[in-house]
PDB file of all heavy atoms in Angstrom:
ATOM      1  N   ALA W1394     104.278 137.049  47.764  1.00  0.00           N
ATOM      2  CA  ALA W1394     103.083 137.821  47.661  1.00  0.00           C
ATOM      3  C   ALA W1394     103.362 139.369  47.687  1.00  0.00           C
ATOM      4  O   ALA W1394     102.546 140.095  47.149  1.00  0.00           O
ATOM      5  CB  ALA W1394     102.146 137.472  48.868  1.00  0.00           C
ATOM      6  N   GLU W1395     104.492 139.753  48.307  1.00  0.00           N
ATOM      7  CA  GLU W1395     104.887 141.135  48.342  1.00  0.00           C
ATOM      8  C   GLU W1395     105.845 141.492  47.226  1.00  0.00           C
ATOM      9  O   GLU W1395     106.791 142.302  47.423  1.00  0.00           O
ATOM     10  CB  GLU W1395     105.524 141.448  49.704  1.00  0.00           C
ATOM     11  CG  GLU W1395     104.543 141.353  50.907  1.00  0.00           C
ATOM     12  CD  GLU W1395     103.602 142.504  50.929  1.00  0.00           C
ATOM     13  OE1 GLU W1395     103.847 143.504  50.333  1.00  0.00           O
ATOM     14  OE2 GLU W1395     102.554 142.345  51.693  1.00  0.00           O
ATOM     15  N   HIS W1396     105.607 140.940  46.044  1.00  0.00           N
ATOM     16  CA  HIS W1396     106.549 141.202  44.954  1.00  0.00           C
ATOM     17  C   HIS W1396     106.579 142.681  44.526  1.00  0.00           C
ATOM     18  O   HIS W1396     107.615 143.203  44.072  1.00  0.00           O
ATOM     19  CB  HIS W1396     106.147 140.403  43.700  1.00  0.00           C
ATOM     20  CG  HIS W1396     104.806 140.698  43.159  1.00  0.00           C
ATOM     21  ND1 HIS W1396     104.690 141.559  42.036  1.00  0.00           N
ATOM     22  CD2 HIS W1396     103.575 140.337  43.476  1.00  0.00           C
ATOM     23  CE1 HIS W1396     103.384 141.648  41.763  1.00  0.00           C
ATOM     24  NE2 HIS W1396     102.686 140.957  42.627  1.00  0.00           N
ATOM     25  N   GLN W1397     105.483 143.414  44.700  1.00  0.00           N
ATOM     26  CA  GLN W1397     105.501 144.827  44.343  1.00  0.00           C
ATOM     27  C   GLN W1397     106.417 145.649  45.295  1.00  0.00           C
ATOM     28  O   GLN W1397     106.989 146.629  44.910  1.00  0.00           O
ATOM     29  CB  GLN W1397     104.040 145.357  44.346  1.00  0.00           C
ATOM     30  CG  GLN W1397     103.132 144.881  43.277  1.00  0.00           C
ATOM     31  CD  GLN W1397     101.751 145.413  43.378  1.00  0.00           C
ATOM     32  OE1 GLN W1397     100.967 145.093  44.322  1.00  0.00           O
ATOM     33  NE2 GLN W1397     101.361 146.234  42.353  1.00  0.00           N
ATOM     34  N   ARG W1398     106.437 145.209  46.600  1.00  0.00           N
ATOM     35  CA  ARG W1398     107.351 145.799  47.511  1.00  0.00           C
ATOM     36  C   ARG W1398     108.786 145.655  47.026  1.00  0.00           C
ATOM     37  O   ARG W1398     109.574 146.552  47.066  1.00  0.00           O
ATOM     38  CB  ARG W1398     107.144 145.121  48.855  1.00  0.00           C
ATOM     39  CG  ARG W1398     108.038 145.629  50.009  1.00  0.00           C
ATOM     40  CD  ARG W1398     107.639 144.848  51.263  1.00  0.00           C
ATOM     41  NE  ARG W1398     108.395 145.271  52.420  1.00  0.00           N
ATOM     42  CZ  ARG W1398     107.905 145.372  53.594  1.00  0.00           C
ATOM     43  NH1 ARG W1398     106.625 145.213  53.806  1.00  0.00           N
ATOM     44  NH2 ARG W1398     108.668 145.708  54.678  1.00  0.00           N
ATOM     45  N   PHE W1399     109.134 144.440  46.599  1.00  0.00           N
ATOM     46  CA  PHE W1399     110.463 144.129  46.027  1.00  0.00           C
ATOM     47  C   PHE W1399     110.724 145.013  44.847  1.00  0.00           C
ATOM     48  O   PHE W1399     111.870 145.611  44.671  1.00  0.00           O
ATOM     49  CB  PHE W1399     110.561 142.680  45.731  1.00  0.00           C
ATOM     50  CG  PHE W1399     111.803 142.318  44.903  1.00  0.00           C
ATOM     51  CD1 PHE W1399     113.058 142.125  45.548  1.00  0.00           C
ATOM     52  CD2 PHE W1399     111.727 142.175  43.492  1.00  0.00           C
ATOM     53  CE1 PHE W1399     114.108 141.778  44.806  1.00  0.00           C
ATOM     54  CE2 PHE W1399     112.882 141.853  42.804  1.00  0.00           C
ATOM     55  CZ  PHE W1399     114.051 141.637  43.418  1.00  0.00           C
ATOM     56  N   THR W1400     109.802 145.104  43.918  1.00  0.00           N
ATOM     57  CA  THR W1400     110.012 145.894  42.665  1.00  0.00           C
ATOM     58  C   THR W1400     110.181 147.366  43.026  1.00  0.00           C
ATOM     59  O   THR W1400     111.017 148.065  42.405  1.00  0.00           O
ATOM     60  CB  THR W1400     108.830 145.699  41.725  1.00  0.00           C
ATOM     61  OG1 THR W1400     108.780 144.266  41.374  1.00  0.00           O
ATOM     62  CG2 THR W1400     108.955 146.534  40.436  1.00  0.00           C
ATOM     63  N   THR W1401     109.420 147.896  43.914  1.00  0.00           N
ATOM     64  CA  THR W1401     109.567 149.307  44.354  1.00  0.00           C
ATOM     65  C   THR W1401     110.933 149.618  44.867  1.00  0.00           C
ATOM     66  O   THR W1401     111.530 150.613  44.586  1.00  0.00           O
ATOM     67  CB  THR W1401     108.440 149.650  45.373  1.00  0.00           C
ATOM     68  OG1 THR W1401     107.150 149.453  44.771  1.00  0.00           O
ATOM     69  CG2 THR W1401     108.607 151.101  45.839  1.00  0.00           C
ATOM     70  N   ALA W1402     111.460 148.660  45.693  1.00  0.00           N
ATOM     71  CA  ALA W1402     112.782 148.866  46.307  1.00  0.00           C
ATOM     72  C   ALA W1402     113.919 148.687  45.313  1.00  0.00           C
ATOM     73  O   ALA W1402     115.023 149.276  45.459  1.00  0.00           O
ATOM     74  CB  ALA W1402     112.956 147.907  47.469  1.00  0.00           C
ATOM     75  N   THR W1403     113.801 147.894  44.279  1.00  0.00           N
ATOM     76  CA  THR W1403     114.926 147.569  43.405  1.00  0.00           C
ATOM     77  C   THR W1403     114.711 148.013  41.962  1.00  0.00           C
ATOM     78  O   THR W1403     115.709 148.068  41.219  1.00  0.00           O
ATOM     79  CB  THR W1403     115.084 146.028  43.400  1.00  0.00           C
ATOM     80  OG1 THR W1403     113.931 145.417  42.803  1.00  0.00           O
ATOM     81  CG2 THR W1403     115.336 145.498  44.795  1.00  0.00           C
ATOM     82  N   GLY W1404     113.500 148.262  41.552  1.00  0.00           N
ATOM     83  CA  GLY W1404     113.222 148.572  40.107  1.00  0.00           C
ATOM     84  C   GLY W1404     113.222 147.270  39.232  1.00  0.00           C
ATOM     85  O   GLY W1404     113.196 147.355  37.984  1.00  0.00           O
ATOM     86  N   ILE W1405     113.358 146.110  39.867  1.00  0.00           N
ATOM     87  CA  ILE W1405     113.368 144.834  39.093  1.00  0.00           C
ATOM     88  C   ILE W1405     111.984 144.257  39.033  1.00  0.00           C
ATOM     89  O   ILE W1405     111.334 144.034  40.104  1.00  0.00           O
ATOM     90  CB  ILE W1405     114.367 143.861  39.770  1.00  0.00           C
ATOM     91  CG1 ILE W1405     115.753 144.387  39.766  1.00  0.00           C
ATOM     92  CG2 ILE W1405     114.294 142.466  39.121  1.00  0.00           C
ATOM     93  CD1 ILE W1405     116.773 143.500  40.522  1.00  0.00           C
ATOM     94  N   GLN W1406     111.480 143.988  37.824  1.00  0.00           N
ATOM     95  CA  GLN W1406     110.141 143.399  37.695  1.00  0.00           C
ATOM     96  C   GLN W1406     110.183 141.948  37.944  1.00  0.00           C
ATOM     97  O   GLN W1406     111.103 141.206  37.575  1.00  0.00           O
ATOM     98  CB  GLN W1406     109.595 143.667  36.257  1.00  0.00           C
ATOM     99  CG  GLN W1406     108.189 143.187  36.062  1.00  0.00           C
ATOM    100  CD  GLN W1406     107.238 143.960  36.937  1.00  0.00           C
ATOM    101  OE1 GLN W1406     107.117 145.167  36.913  1.00  0.00           O
ATOM    102  NE2 GLN W1406     106.533 143.203  37.811  1.00  0.00           N
ATOM    103  N   VAL W1407     109.124 141.396  38.624  1.00  0.00           N
ATOM    104  CA  VAL W1407     108.994 140.038  38.921  1.00  0.00           C
ATOM    105  C   VAL W1407     107.977 139.341  37.979  1.00  0.00           C
ATOM    106  O   VAL W1407     106.936 139.905  37.755  1.00  0.00           O
ATOM    107  CB  VAL W1407     108.575 139.730  40.355  1.00  0.00           C
ATOM    108  CG1 VAL W1407     108.505 138.244  40.678  1.00  0.00           C
ATOM    109  CG2 VAL W1407     109.520 140.404  41.328  1.00  0.00           C
ATOM    110  N   TYR W1408     108.324 138.137  37.385  1.00  0.00           N
ATOM    111  CA  TYR W1408     107.463 137.459  36.537  1.00  0.00           C
ATOM    112  C   TYR W1408     107.186 136.129  37.173  1.00  0.00           C
ATOM    113  O   TYR W1408     108.044 135.516  37.825  1.00  0.00           O
ATOM    114  CB  TYR W1408     108.094 137.287  35.152  1.00  0.00           C
ATOM    115  CG  TYR W1408     108.371 138.585  34.447  1.00  0.00           C
ATOM    116  CD1 TYR W1408     109.560 139.221  34.580  1.00  0.00           C
ATOM    117  CD2 TYR W1408     107.413 139.173  33.600  1.00  0.00           C
ATOM    118  CE1 TYR W1408     109.847 140.436  33.983  1.00  0.00           C
ATOM    119  CE2 TYR W1408     107.636 140.387  33.004  1.00  0.00           C
ATOM    120  CZ  TYR W1408     108.867 141.009  33.186  1.00  0.00           C
ATOM    121  OH  TYR W1408     109.069 142.226  32.562  1.00  0.00           O
ATOM    122  N   PHE W1409     105.960 135.545  36.993  1.00  0.00           N
ATOM    123  CA  PHE W1409     105.534 134.399  37.666  1.00  0.00           C
ATOM    124  C   PHE W1409     105.313 133.248  36.669  1.00  0.00           C
ATOM    125  O   PHE W1409     104.685 133.410  35.598  1.00  0.00           O
ATOM    126  CB  PHE W1409     104.273 134.592  38.495  1.00  0.00           C
ATOM    127  CG  PHE W1409     104.574 135.503  39.667  1.00  0.00           C
ATOM    128  CD1 PHE W1409     104.398 136.849  39.626  1.00  0.00           C
ATOM    129  CD2 PHE W1409     104.978 134.862  40.869  1.00  0.00           C
ATOM    130  CE1 PHE W1409     104.675 137.642  40.703  1.00  0.00           C
ATOM    131  CE2 PHE W1409     105.181 135.697  41.948  1.00  0.00           C
ATOM    132  CZ  PHE W1409     105.058 137.067  41.912  1.00  0.00           C
ATOM    133  N   CYS W1410     105.766 132.007  37.075  1.00  0.00           N
ATOM    134  CA  CYS W1410     105.567 130.839  36.284  1.00  0.00           C
ATOM    135  C   CYS W1410     104.119 130.310  36.279  1.00  0.00           C
ATOM    136  O   CYS W1410     103.332 130.768  37.128  1.00  0.00           O
ATOM    137  CB  CYS W1410     106.493 129.731  36.738  1.00  0.00           C
ATOM    138  SG  CYS W1410     108.226 130.102  36.706  1.00  0.00           S
ATOM    139  N   ASP W1411     103.843 129.392  35.454  1.00  0.00           N
ATOM    140  CA  ASP W1411     102.572 128.670  35.587  1.00  0.00           C
ATOM    141  C   ASP W1411     102.565 127.774  36.846  1.00  0.00           C
ATOM    142  O   ASP W1411     103.677 127.388  37.288  1.00  0.00           O
ATOM    143  CB  ASP W1411     102.325 127.781  34.321  1.00  0.00           C
ATOM    144  CG  ASP W1411     102.117 128.664  33.077  1.00  0.00           C
ATOM    145  OD1 ASP W1411     101.417 129.614  33.186  1.00  0.00           O
ATOM    146  OD2 ASP W1411     102.733 128.243  32.037  1.00  0.00           O
ATOM    147  N   PRO W1412     101.403 127.437  37.363  1.00  0.00           N
ATOM    148  CA  PRO W1412     101.363 126.519  38.512  1.00  0.00           C
ATOM    149  C   PRO W1412     102.008 125.190  38.232  1.00  0.00           C
ATOM    150  O   PRO W1412     101.810 124.636  37.080  1.00  0.00           O
ATOM    151  CB  PRO W1412      99.811 126.320  38.785  1.00  0.00           C
ATOM    152  CG  PRO W1412      99.217 127.563  38.186  1.00  0.00           C
ATOM    153  CD  PRO W1412     100.017 127.852  36.978  1.00  0.00           C
ATOM    154  N   LYS W1413     102.737 124.633  39.097  1.00  0.00           N
ATOM    155  CA  LYS W1413     103.363 123.288  39.000  1.00  0.00           C
ATOM    156  C   LYS W1413     104.172 123.189  37.782  1.00  0.00           C
ATOM    157  O   LYS W1413     104.156 122.144  37.062  1.00  0.00           O
ATOM    158  CB  LYS W1413     102.277 122.256  39.052  1.00  0.00           C
ATOM    159  CG  LYS W1413     101.452 122.207  40.339  1.00  0.00           C
ATOM    160  CD  LYS W1413     100.409 121.177  40.388  1.00  0.00           C
ATOM    161  CE  LYS W1413      99.627 121.196  41.635  1.00  0.00           C
ATOM    162  NZ  LYS W1413      98.550 120.163  41.644  1.00  0.00           N
ATOM    163  N   SER W1414     104.940 124.234  37.433  1.00  0.00           N
ATOM    164  CA  SER W1414     105.805 124.168  36.211  1.00  0.00           C
ATOM    165  C   SER W1414     107.188 124.570  36.591  1.00  0.00           C
ATOM    166  O   SER W1414     107.750 125.619  36.108  1.00  0.00           O
ATOM    167  CB  SER W1414     105.231 125.115  35.155  1.00  0.00           C
ATOM    168  OG  SER W1414     103.929 124.783  34.808  1.00  0.00           O
ATOM    169  N   PRO W1415     107.902 123.769  37.426  1.00  0.00           N
ATOM    170  CA  PRO W1415     109.241 124.135  37.838  1.00  0.00           C
ATOM    171  C   PRO W1415     110.290 124.175  36.627  1.00  0.00           C
ATOM    172  O   PRO W1415     111.263 124.924  36.683  1.00  0.00           O
ATOM    173  CB  PRO W1415     109.668 123.072  38.793  1.00  0.00           C
ATOM    174  CG  PRO W1415     108.734 121.917  38.429  1.00  0.00           C
ATOM    175  CD  PRO W1415     107.438 122.507  37.991  1.00  0.00           C
ATOM    176  N   TRP W1416     109.945 123.489  35.512  1.00  0.00           N
ATOM    177  CA  TRP W1416     110.808 123.552  34.384  1.00  0.00           C
ATOM    178  C   TRP W1416     110.880 124.948  33.779  1.00  0.00           C
ATOM    179  O   TRP W1416     111.853 125.271  33.039  1.00  0.00           O
ATOM    180  CB  TRP W1416     110.300 122.556  33.292  1.00  0.00           C
ATOM    181  CG  TRP W1416     108.896 122.690  32.888  1.00  0.00           C
ATOM    182  CD1 TRP W1416     107.813 122.127  33.524  1.00  0.00           C
ATOM    183  CD2 TRP W1416     108.347 123.637  31.889  1.00  0.00           C
ATOM    184  NE1 TRP W1416     106.617 122.571  32.888  1.00  0.00           N
ATOM    185  CE2 TRP W1416     106.965 123.460  31.883  1.00  0.00           C
ATOM    186  CE3 TRP W1416     109.013 124.446  30.991  1.00  0.00           C
ATOM    187  CZ2 TRP W1416     106.151 124.155  30.972  1.00  0.00           C
ATOM    188  CZ3 TRP W1416     108.159 125.166  30.088  1.00  0.00           C
ATOM    189  CH2 TRP W1416     106.714 124.990  30.094  1.00  0.00           C
ATOM    190  N   GLN W1417     109.970 125.840  34.077  1.00  0.00           N
ATOM    191  CA  GLN W1417     110.009 127.169  33.562  1.00  0.00           C
ATOM    192  C   GLN W1417     111.088 128.004  34.270  1.00  0.00           C
ATOM    193  O   GLN W1417     111.370 129.133  33.826  1.00  0.00           O
ATOM    194  CB  GLN W1417     108.644 127.893  33.632  1.00  0.00           C
ATOM    195  CG  GLN W1417     107.651 127.271  32.705  1.00  0.00           C
ATOM    196  CD  GLN W1417     106.245 127.885  32.866  1.00  0.00           C
ATOM    197  OE1 GLN W1417     105.885 128.443  33.883  1.00  0.00           O
ATOM    198  NE2 GLN W1417     105.480 127.877  31.775  1.00  0.00           N
ATOM    199  N   ARG W1418     111.626 127.509  35.369  1.00  0.00           N
ATOM    200  CA  ARG W1418     112.789 128.053  36.068  1.00  0.00           C
ATOM    201  C   ARG W1418     113.890 126.975  36.077  1.00  0.00           C
ATOM    202  O   ARG W1418     114.475 126.650  37.112  1.00  0.00           O
ATOM    203  CB  ARG W1418     112.459 128.386  37.493  1.00  0.00           C
ATOM    204  CG  ARG W1418     111.272 129.325  37.653  1.00  0.00           C
ATOM    205  CD  ARG W1418     110.969 129.547  39.155  1.00  0.00           C
ATOM    206  NE  ARG W1418     111.830 128.882  40.078  1.00  0.00           N
ATOM    207  CZ  ARG W1418     111.633 127.686  40.575  1.00  0.00           C
ATOM    208  NH1 ARG W1418     110.588 126.937  40.201  1.00  0.00           N
ATOM    209  NH2 ARG W1418     112.507 127.162  41.442  1.00  0.00           N
ATOM    210  N   GLY W1419     114.188 126.421  34.951  1.00  0.00           N
ATOM    211  CA  GLY W1419     115.096 125.296  34.831  1.00  0.00           C
ATOM    212  C   GLY W1419     116.473 125.548  35.408  1.00  0.00           C
ATOM    213  O   GLY W1419     117.021 124.651  36.068  1.00  0.00           O
ATOM    214  N   SER W1420     117.067 126.728  35.146  1.00  0.00           N
ATOM    215  CA  SER W1420     118.402 126.992  35.733  1.00  0.00           C
ATOM    216  C   SER W1420     118.402 126.938  37.237  1.00  0.00           C
ATOM    217  O   SER W1420     119.316 126.416  37.885  1.00  0.00           O
ATOM    218  CB  SER W1420     118.869 128.354  35.255  1.00  0.00           C
ATOM    219  OG  SER W1420     118.979 128.375  33.842  1.00  0.00           O
ATOM    220  N   ASN W1421     117.341 127.496  37.746  1.00  0.00           N
ATOM    221  CA  ASN W1421     117.263 127.583  39.269  1.00  0.00           C
ATOM    222  C   ASN W1421     117.003 126.145  39.803  1.00  0.00           C
ATOM    223  O   ASN W1421     117.649 125.754  40.838  1.00  0.00           O
ATOM    224  CB  ASN W1421     116.122 128.493  39.656  1.00  0.00           C
ATOM    225  CG  ASN W1421     116.027 128.739  41.187  1.00  0.00           C
ATOM    226  OD1 ASN W1421     115.053 128.222  41.758  1.00  0.00           O
ATOM    227  ND2 ASN W1421     117.012 129.327  41.765  1.00  0.00           N
ATOM    228  N   GLU W1422     116.176 125.357  39.177  1.00  0.00           N
ATOM    229  CA  GLU W1422     115.924 124.063  39.645  1.00  0.00           C
ATOM    230  C   GLU W1422     117.137 123.166  39.614  1.00  0.00           C
ATOM    231  O   GLU W1422     117.484 122.391  40.518  1.00  0.00           O
ATOM    232  CB  GLU W1422     114.779 123.366  38.860  1.00  0.00           C
ATOM    233  CG  GLU W1422     113.415 123.853  39.147  1.00  0.00           C
ATOM    234  CD  GLU W1422     112.920 123.493  40.528  1.00  0.00           C
ATOM    235  OE1 GLU W1422     112.820 122.288  40.814  1.00  0.00           O
ATOM    236  OE2 GLU W1422     112.630 124.414  41.322  1.00  0.00           O
ATOM    237  N   ASN W1423     117.928 123.185  38.432  1.00  0.00           N
ATOM    238  CA  ASN W1423     119.163 122.455  38.357  1.00  0.00           C
ATOM    239  C   ASN W1423     120.195 122.864  39.423  1.00  0.00           C
ATOM    240  O   ASN W1423     120.853 121.998  39.997  1.00  0.00           O
ATOM    241  CB  ASN W1423     119.739 122.651  36.986  1.00  0.00           C
ATOM    242  CG  ASN W1423     118.901 121.987  35.906  1.00  0.00           C
ATOM    243  OD1 ASN W1423     118.104 121.052  36.217  1.00  0.00           O
ATOM    244  ND2 ASN W1423     119.013 122.395  34.684  1.00  0.00           N
ATOM    245  N   THR W1424     120.265 124.155  39.612  1.00  0.00           N
ATOM    246  CA  THR W1424     121.255 124.581  40.604  1.00  0.00           C
ATOM    247  C   THR W1424     120.848 124.204  42.021  1.00  0.00           C
ATOM    248  O   THR W1424     121.695 123.783  42.912  1.00  0.00           O
ATOM    249  CB  THR W1424     121.370 126.139  40.560  1.00  0.00           C
ATOM    250  OG1 THR W1424     121.787 126.515  39.243  1.00  0.00           O
ATOM    251  CG2 THR W1424     122.432 126.659  41.534  1.00  0.00           C
TER     252      THR W1424
END
């Protein structure tokens, strides 16, 4: 929920998947 706090500290933008769609983060799920 505090993704903007993370982006402000790092300059890295956060993107969000669709609900109940773990396959959109397939590398993370497999690992």
Side-chain angles (χ1 to χ4, degrees):
E1395 294 285 344
H1396 65 96
Q1397 290 179 294
R1398 178 180 181 139
F1399 168 82
T1400 300
T1401 300
T1403 63
I1405 298 176
Q1406 184 62 60
V1407 182
Y1408 299 89
F1409 289 92
C1410 300
D1411 293 317
K1413 300 180 182 179
S1414 301
W1416 54 269
Q1417 293 179 333
R1418 305 174 3 269
S1420 298
N1421 188 245
E1422 286 291 301
N1423 290 336
T1424 304

